[in-house]
């Protein structure tokens, strides 16, 4: 943050920090956490026994060690085109693919502030263990992907990134073009769902701890944002654009708190620990900064606009019961009219779905994609 940040901006940034998910009151009908419940409403609750029998991976170092030792999955770095930009990706696949066989594939979309090496790769790896070709990639303008200006968070561009990743998968001889799906975490969930609405090459979509970026900044972390604060935020970004156009250095905002000192919001504490602590998932390509000039684009975005009519593909939403961001999944589930399911992980938080509760999400993802893409890991 620069010393040009005004008091108003600090207040608004404090509400927006963790532009990965936020909270309102739940829109879904309350449900009791009893066993492995399945209801006619399509809301299901995870059973503790429905957990992948794998070690929980809670750090970048542990992930690297696990992948290097695993002889059942391959990992390779790839590049693909997004218009004129070169996109950087990591492709996971079963190690023993049969010659001539075409496999189902999944595009995995990372959270805002994240990069391909973090939770996106963890989910891609777990899905490759289930027999899928899974692609995680850096968003344009971020990580190792091209795009100027750097550290821009442009929702429209992020949605186009998803389509470009699908483009790439269709060029692979090992991929069945009729069995491509999308999976997004946090803001990546919102982007994946939005892209799926208008890209019918994507046959099914799943969002984990889904976050509708526009709603998140418009309504605040706990849904307490006011119209006055919204107008102040728009005025602030307008002043930023004018300042930059007249020679000022661009202002950067943090996605999450740089440290947990003085932070009382539980989701923010967990987010800071995940992204900023060296013994968790801190990475040099994830600097925890984005251009303030991104904000007008984010304010105008609604990941779920049109979901009632445009989303005709099956939808799976996975959310922790204690996640401040659960209201985003609740909204998507309520407004979608096609085949849909909301899968609730008891005790799960927003950030636990990034690593600590991944193994509770994987069996459901395997079940969902297995059904929709007609695939069996066996």
């Amino acid at each position: 943050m620069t010393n040009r940040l005004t008091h108003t901006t600090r207040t608004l940034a404090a509400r927006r920090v963790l532009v990965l998910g936020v909270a309102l009151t739940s829109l879904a009908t309350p449900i009791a956490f009893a066993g492995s419940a399945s209801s006619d409403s399509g809301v299901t609750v995870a059973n503790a026994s429905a957990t992948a029998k794998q070690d929980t991976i809670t750090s970048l170092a542990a992930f690297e060690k696990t992948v290097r030792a695993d002889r059942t999955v391959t990992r390779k770095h790839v590049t693909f085109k997004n218009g004129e930009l070169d996109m950087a990706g990591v492709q996971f696949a079963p190690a023993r693919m049969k010659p001539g066989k075409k496999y189902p594939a999944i595009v995995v979309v990372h959270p805002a502030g994240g990069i391909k090496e973090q939770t996106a790769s963890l989910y891609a790896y777990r899905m490759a263990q289930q027999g899928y070709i899974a692609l995680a990639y850096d968003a344009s303008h971020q990580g190792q992907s091209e795009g100027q200006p750097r550290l821009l968070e442009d929702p429209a561009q992020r949605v186009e990134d998803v389509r470009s990743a699908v483009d790439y998968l269709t060029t692979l001889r090992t991929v069945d073009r009729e069995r491509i799906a999308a999976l997004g975490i946090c803001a990546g969930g919102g982007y994946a769902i939005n892209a799926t609405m208008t890209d019918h090459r994507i046959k099914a979509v799943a969002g984990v701890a889904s976050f509708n970026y526009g709603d998140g900044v418009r309504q605040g972390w706990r849904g307490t944002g006011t119209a006055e604060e919204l107008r102040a935020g728009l005025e602030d970004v307008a002043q930023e654009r004018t300042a930059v156009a007249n020679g000022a250095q661009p202002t950067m905002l943090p996605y999450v708190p740089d440290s947990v000192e003085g932070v009382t919001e539980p989701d923010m504490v967990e987010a800071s620990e995940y992204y900023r602590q060296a013994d968790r998932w801190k990475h040099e390509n994830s600097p925890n900064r984005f251009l303030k000039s991104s904000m007008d684009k984010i304010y105008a975005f609604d990941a779920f606009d049109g979901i009632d009519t445009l989303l005709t593909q099956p939808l799976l939403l996975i959310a922790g019961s204690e996640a401040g961001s659960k209201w985003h999944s609740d909204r998507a589930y309520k407004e979608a009219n096609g085949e849909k399911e909301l899968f609730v992980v008891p005790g799960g938080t927003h950030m636990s779905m990034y690593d600590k509760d991944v193994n509770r999400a994987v069996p459901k993802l395997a079940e969902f994609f297995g059904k929709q893409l007609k695939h069996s890991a066996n």
Side-chain angles (χ1 to χ4, degrees), residues 172-371:
L172 301 181
R173 289 178 295 176
T174 52
V175 168
D176 185 340
R177 295 179 183 176
E178 297 303 315
R179 293 193 292 161
I180 295 175
L183 162 63
I185 305 96
C186 186
Y191 296 139
I193 292 168
N194 191 269
T196 301
M197 293 183 198
T198 53
D199 192 335
H200 283 204
R201 297 174 301 174
I202 302 173
K203 304 305 181 184
V205 60
V208 176
S210 295
F211 169 60
N212 181 347
Y213 217 145
D215 265 354
V217 298
R218 288 188 296 268
Q219 301 194 52
W221 179 251
R222 290 288 173 186
T224 58
T226 65
E228 181 181 23
E229 288 175 320
L230 176 59
R231 287 191 294 269
L234 290 170
E235 179 64 27
D236 187 50
V237 69
Q239 292 177 4
E240 168 72 7
R241 290 185 68 109
T242 296
V244 172
N246 285 272
Q249 284 295 110
T251 303
M252 293 289 176
L253 297 176
Y255 282 103
V256 304
D258 284 317
S259 75
V260 300
E261 184 178 355
V263 180
T264 58
E265 167 58 57
D267 291 309
M268 304 297 181
V269 171
E270 291 187 0
S272 182
E273 290 172 347
Y274 179 91
Y275 280 111
R276 308 311 296 159
Q277 290 188 1
D279 62 347
R280 294 295 304 285
W281 293 85
K282 185 177 181 179
H283 193 286
E284 60 183 0
N285 291 339
S286 176
N288 191 36
R289 292 293 185 273
F290 72 107
L291 285 169
K292 185 199 283 190
S293 57
S294 305
M295 289 305 300
D296 54 3
K297 302 168 187 61
I298 297 169
Y299 274 120
F301 179 70
D302 187 339
F304 304 147
D305 183 33
I307 194 173
D308 56 335
T309 56
L310 291 176
L311 185 65
T312 56
Q313 303 95 311
L315 168 67
L316 171 65
L317 298 154
I318 298 178
S321 66
E322 306 307 308
S325 61
K326 183 176 176 292
W327 65 281
H328 295 271
S329 296
D330 293 336
R331 179 194 162 189
Y333 177 76
K334 179 181 179 181
E335 295 183 6
N337 285 322
E339 183 178 346
K340 61 185 179 179
E341 181 177 357
L342 172 59
F343 184 74
V344 181
V345 177
T349 65
H350 183 87
M351 297 305 301
S352 76
M353 303 311 303
Y354 282 45
D355 57 357
K356 296 176 182 178
D357 281 328
V358 167
N359 290 352
R360 300 172 74 187
V362 165
K364 190 63 184 180
L365 290 167
E367 173 192 304
F368 173 72
F369 288 128
K371 174 186 176 183

Side-chain angles (χ1 to χ4, degrees), residues 113-133:
I115 53 171
K116 63 184 181 300
E117 285 85 1
Q118 295 164 331
T119 187
S121 271
L122 178 54
Y123 274 98
Y125 168 62
R126 290 302 191 205
M127 297 317 297
Q129 289 181 314
Q130 298 290 323
Y132 297 88
I133 295 172

Side-chain angles (χ1 to χ4, degrees), residues 61-181:
F63 177 69
E64 287 299 318
K65 181 179 179 180
T66 299
V67 174
R68 286 195 297 267
D70 191 341
R71 298 294 178 262
T72 69
V73 170
T74 63
R75 174 180 61 174
K76 68 175 180 179
H77 291 268
V78 299
T79 60
F80 58 93
K81 282 293 184 181
N82 182 355
E84 297 300 315
L85 302 181
D86 284 334
M87 303 287 286
V90 182
Q91 184 175 310
F92 295 83
R96 296 179 179 84
M97 292 194 293
K98 297 178 181 178
K101 180 178 178 180
K102 292 185 180 295
Y103 289 78
I106 301 173
V107 172
V108 184
V109 190
H110 68 67
I115 53 171
K116 63 184 181 300
E117 285 85 1
Q118 295 164 331
T119 187
S121 271
L122 178 54
Y123 274 98
Y125 168 62
R126 290 302 191 205
M127 297 317 297
Q129 289 181 314
Q130 298 290 323
Y132 297 88
I133 295 172
L135 173 69
Y137 63 90
D138 284 331
S140 54
H141 304 268
Q142 301 173 26
Q144 294 178 312
S145 289
E146 291 184 343
Q148 294 293 335
R150 300 306 296 167
L151 302 180
L152 176 69
E153 183 73 33
D154 182 348
Q157 185 61 56
R158 287 276 256 135
V159 172
E160 184 61 24
D161 293 346
V162 180
R163 299 189 186 105
S164 296
V166 175
D167 290 343
Y168 165 73
L169 288 176
T170 67
T171 69
L172 301 181
R173 289 178 295 176
T174 52
V175 168
D176 185 340
R177 295 179 183 176
E178 297 303 315
R179 293 193 292 161
I180 295 175

